Amino acid sequence: MLADLMRRIGALTTLYMKPNSPNSTLSCGKSAFGSPSRPTPDNFDPYNYTGGCWMRNDAEQQQARHVVFNFPKLCEKAIESSPGARKIMQCDKVEGNFNRAFILHLDNDSKVVARIPFSVAGPTRLTTNSEVATMSYLRKNTSIPVPNVLDWSDNPNNPIGTEYIIMDHVPGVQLRRIWPEMTTHQHMLCVKNLTKLVKQMNDMEFPAYGSIFFCDGPIDTASYVQLTDEFCIGPSCDSRYWPCIPGDQRFYTRKPPNRGPWNSFNQYRQALLDAGLSRIPVKTPSQHLSYYGKVEDHLDLLDKAGSTLEALAQDPRVENLSAPMLLHPDLHMRNIFVDPEDPAHITALIDWQSTSLEPIFSYASVTPDLCTLPSSSEDIFGPSNYNGSDAKCKERLEKDVLICRQTWEVGLAGWGRKLHAARSLDENLIRPFRYCYSSWRDSIAALRHELIEVGQRWTELQLPGTPPYQPSKRELAMHAEQWEDFQAAVELREFLERALCSNGDGWVPMDRCEAAREAMKAARELWLAKCDEIGADDKTKLLWPYDL
């Protein structure tokens, strides 16, 4: 059913989203947060999100990005931060998933960036303090080029009315804007230079897990871990431990919050389980898809997962790569600036928000988008329709990506050896750590599948004794059914994301919102009609991931 229905939905979505349709003015190109707009007096809105819309929980997502503050005061602060400036000549508003930035062109020929966080960015005060502290720590202890902070405040009760960071606009140009014009050799050199910056992160050592803060920051001085006289390690700002995302509720009736800092890997491991526990409500919601699992099943499986994680943590291969490590949380082209005259030379790494100190192995799958194939204009609803010329272009592109990926791997082998070693670990040894804190959000099937997988390979992986989790025949039968439903839901969601050129939250740019809503409304009607046609139960109908 699913394959046939996807083909029909694909054709329908193409009809609504194609460039010549009156419903849309843009082709289905790669969509991403962070497109700048040059405001005019008529459309400039510094307070509301205007970058796009969501196909799921749109009202909640928009509200989470509505910020009430004193914009004129922010502009005054920005002018004061730049010596010789008296007024703003131009303001560009740029919106990402977690922040709103104003690129201010001043009358002293300088540019500054005034950035304010959304509530989804992380815990109040802590997220801003940690980002500024992390950049300051890196500036003092490495040669990694980070933005120069001119002024900042982590107190939302300041005269501006919100937390903010004012920075010099970094030199150079955003790598994603110049990448298509660069040669393969320049691509290779750029990736090589990035691995050299990663080496400096790889070489640093830390005594605890969590996030970096200023010692005089808004954290409990009794629990932080001292780094220097100026810096310390405090609670993690990672969203795993905080209810920041719309719809991500937390419940602390079973255990209190466990957000760090953590002095040992065992403490860190327990925090992952506690984070998973905090997502589980008191009782199972009435309209809850079966593959997500009941509350009592989640509680039981998390308990068994804890035993598996404990056994894996004692394995030398995991233990030797469990030390705290700092790595930029989003090594992608939009966060890398380069010299336009020498684009292999990296002039800045921006956006250090939510950087945290994690076990080395947790970065095992990190691969910058410099080393991956970009979104293609190829028809995703059927076989490739590349003509001869396009086929040669695709071949050159794939060769380019292969060279970049090989450069990344060779660079890590030479300069980022801890990270390279983590990438060589068998995935079954570390995947359970990635899923235990999100079983309620992602479904019980995802975590159980990882535990079953590692259990089945226990002897092959040369782990001692027997696997702690040994499901009964009843559990295996139940899992087989839930796993099938889970895979179908994931397949449907990912298909719709590709059809909309969207991201995982169902986000699309504002100028494509109307067309996307109409497409999803028609597609959902088709989905429900097909379900009725084959006599599918309500469970199948509820697999539809969007509101429309």
Side-chain angles (χ1 to χ4, degrees), residues 124-141:
T124 303
R125 299 200 67 179
L126 298 182
T127 302
T128 297
N129 188 288
S130 179
E131 180 174 10
V132 177
T134 299
M135 290 190 291
S136 180
Y137 184 85
L138 289 169
R139 185 178 288 277
K140 293 184 177 184
N141 292 279

Side-chain angles (χ1 to χ4, degrees), residues 210 372 391:
T372 60

Side-chain angles (χ1 to χ4, degrees), residues 117-172:
F118 299 140
S119 63
V120 296
T124 303
R125 299 200 67 179
L126 298 182
T127 302
T128 297
N129 188 288
S130 179
E131 180 174 10
V132 177
T134 299
M135 290 190 291
S136 180
Y137 184 85
L138 289 169
R139 185 178 288 277
K140 293 184 177 184
N141 292 279
T142 73
S143 62
I144 297 171
V146 299
N148 180 41
V149 177
L150 302 173
D151 194 5
W152 66 282
S153 174
D154 61 14
N155 188 348
N157 296 318
N158 61 48
I160 292 172
T162 184
E163 303 172 46
Y164 66 88
I165 303 176
I166 298 174
M167 303 166 277
D168 280 324
H169 192 284
V170 296

Side-chain angles (χ1 to χ4, degrees), residues 193-208:
N193 289 333
L194 182 60
T195 61
K196 290 181 178 180
L197 298 182
V198 170
K199 176 189 184 300
Q200 297 187 58
M201 297 179 239
N202 177 92
D203 291 348
M204 289 190 289
E205 295 184 355
F206 297 94

Side-chain angles (χ1 to χ4, degrees), residues 341-355:
E341 301 300 322
D342 179 14
H345 173 60
I346 297 173
T347 57
L349 291 183
I350 68 168
D351 196 2
W352 293 86
Q353 190 176 70
S354 299
T355 302

